[in-house]
Amino acid sequence: MFAQQDIPAGCIILAEHPTVILPYIIALPTSSTELHANVLEYLSPSKYKEVMSLSRGPFPSDDQVDDVLSANALAVELQVPDGPNADLPIHRALFLKTSRINHSCGPNARWDWDSSTLTLTVTAVRPIRKNEEITITYIAPDQPREERIKCLETVHGFSCVCSYCLILNTDDLLNSDIAREILHNTWTLGNLSSFNKWCRDPSMPDDFLISQHMRALTLIQQEGLQVLDYGPGMHPDLDVGRHCDAIAMCYGALEDTDNFILWIKHVKEMHIVWQPDRAPVFKKWISNPSSFPVWGWRKDSMTDMMSKLGKCESVLDLID
């Protein structure tokens, strides 16, 4: 699938309902082939033809439908009612449009599943140029290259040839694997100091927290991993948004007007894509930086102010 026009980050590329949903584990007195036939007979001729035109993977069996599902279906969670003999919540779902989107270990889009509406949404995680291929990841992309290749070969039956796997230089490959491991562990193992702790601890350099988040953004850009979403809490802009929020807050706490305006504008551009009604709040902060709720915290050690507002680790915490 290729972009027919320039697509900005955060833009929804497509939304679709599954054509077929099947349980992963079938505990029925019928074979999977019979089950597949029973399900597919409800499809219109055009839908059936489109399903059967999808890739069967590199090692086709006698069951064409199972081949298609194995090669193209995504794991989704359903709201399964409790009770005896209840299905497991994880099912296989086949999406005709999304199935046409290839894998990359540095994808420019992500997919999200809403079980309440049975809708899958594909969203750009970074700007996509016209005629550029749209890609998603089929696996956890922060694994080392050898593990990614093995997983894709085992589960999906193909060897990855994306640019992030076709690294020939040994040093470049090692640096890539290290970068992905760092990103995987960024929010764990105490690798990232909290904003509140940094504000209160004068022994930490002023740029200590900023440098940590800047480094993470650099590695995300290097590895094409804007799709990562490992940070605490919900954030519509995933880890990129969390890091940008934190940098803007740090510059605000330092009363660094120029850098604060630079980063809060960047944060604004990301936020108003999904919630445009917040634009006036950002406009106020840009025109009057001192109105930013954590302005000067680091320089003035405003402990009383911090105790009133509570824990703040993101710009999201500062917007009513």
Side-chain angles (χ1 to χ4, degrees):
M1 181 180 291
F2 292 83
Q4 297 182 350
Q5 62 186 38
D6 290 342
I7 303 174
C11 179
I12 294 176
I13 297 171
L14 67 86
E16 66 172 324
H17 300 298
T19 300
V20 175
I21 298 181
L22 287 168
Y24 260 112
I25 300 176
I26 304 172
L28 296 173
T30 180
S31 68
S32 61
T33 302
E34 290 179 84
L35 176 64
H36 296 157
N38 292 337
V39 171
L40 293 188
E41 71 178 9
Y42 291 98
L43 298 180
S44 66
S46 61
K47 289 284 188 184
Y48 179 84
K49 182 178 180 180
E50 195 169 355
V51 167
M52 302 307 281
S53 72
L54 293 173
S55 170
R56 297 178 63 180
F59 308 111
S61 68
D62 294 333
D63 188 340
Q64 182 177 356
V65 179
D66 191 60
D67 291 343
V68 169
L69 287 171
S70 297
N72 299 280
L74 296 173
V76 300
E77 185 170 340
L78 299 184
Q79 297 179 5
V80 178
D82 294 330
N85 303 316
D87 286 337
L88 294 174
I90 302 298
H91 283 58
R92 292 195 294 178
L94 187 65
F95 302 87
L96 292 178
K97 293 179 181 178
T98 306
S99 294
R100 307 288 183 183
I101 303 178
N102 285 328
H103 163 84
S104 172
C105 293
N108 54 26
R110 77 175 195 265
W111 65 272
D112 297 288
W113 168 251
D114 185 344
S115 61
S116 64
T117 61
L118 298 181
T119 303
L120 179 142
T121 305
V122 177
T123 307
V125 295
R126 60 177 180 263
I128 302 174
R129 299 184 304 275
K130 181 180 180 180
N131 297 324
E132 181 182 351
E133 183 176 13
I134 297 168
T135 57
I136 57 176
T137 183
Y138 298 175
I139 59 171
D142 53 354
Q143 305 173 75
R145 185 183 71 169
E146 291 305 314
E147 291 184 23
R148 299 197 308 270
I149 290 175
K150 182 178 179 180
C151 183
L152 288 166
E153 289 177 342
T154 302
V155 178
H156 297 279
F158 70 87
S159 296
C160 188
V161 293
C162 76
S163 61
Y164 300 95
C165 284
L166 294 180
I167 301 176
L168 300 179
N169 182 280
T170 303
D171 290 338
D172 290 344
L173 174 58
L174 178 60
N175 289 334
S176 176
D177 285 348
I178 291 174
R180 290 178 184 244
E181 182 179 9
I182 290 172
L183 290 172
H184 178 81
N185 295 322
T186 294
W187 305 98
T188 60
L189 307 178
N191 290 339
L192 200 61
S193 300
S194 76
F195 174 77
N196 280 0
K197 181 180 179 181
W198 171 74
C199 282
R200 291 188 172 102
D201 189 349
S203 68
M204 291 185 181
D206 282 350
D207 66 348
F208 182 76
L209 198 54
I210 294 171
S211 297
Q212 288 184 318
H213 288 287
M214 288 284 200
R215 182 191 187 201
L217 285 177
T218 298
L219 295 179
I220 286 173
Q221 180 70 25
Q222 169 190 311
E223 298 298 315
L225 289 180
Q226 292 85 354
V227 73
L228 290 186
D229 188 22
Y230 286 125
M234 297 292 294
H235 199 294
D237 300 311
L238 311 183
D239 282 356
V240 169
R242 293 185 181 96
H243 291 302
C244 291
D245 281 6
I247 293 169
M249 289 181 65
C250 287
Y251 281 125
L254 290 169
E255 294 182 312
D256 185 332
T257 302
D258 291 342
N259 280 311
F260 169 75
I261 291 176
L262 174 68
W263 282 92
I264 204 66
K265 283 183 177 179
H266 188 48
V267 172
K268 173 190 173 185
E269 290 172 2
M270 294 190 296
H271 279 248
I272 62 175
V273 169
W274 57 274
Q275 202 157 10
D277 61 328
R278 292 184 171 181
V281 177
F282 286 99
K283 183 178 180 180
K284 174 186 175 183
W285 292 340
I286 292 169
S287 62
N288 181 18
S290 63
S291 67
F292 191 59
V294 300
W295 189 257
W297 275 17
R298 169 73 177 180
K299 294 190 69 175
D300 299 333
S301 300
M302 296 175 66
T303 306
D304 291 339
M305 180 72 75
M306 294 169 69
S307 63
K308 291 178 183 178
L309 291 178
K311 183 180 179 181
C312 293
E313 297 294 338
S314 167
V315 171
L316 290 175
D317 297 329
L318 306 177
I319 302 177
D320 295 331

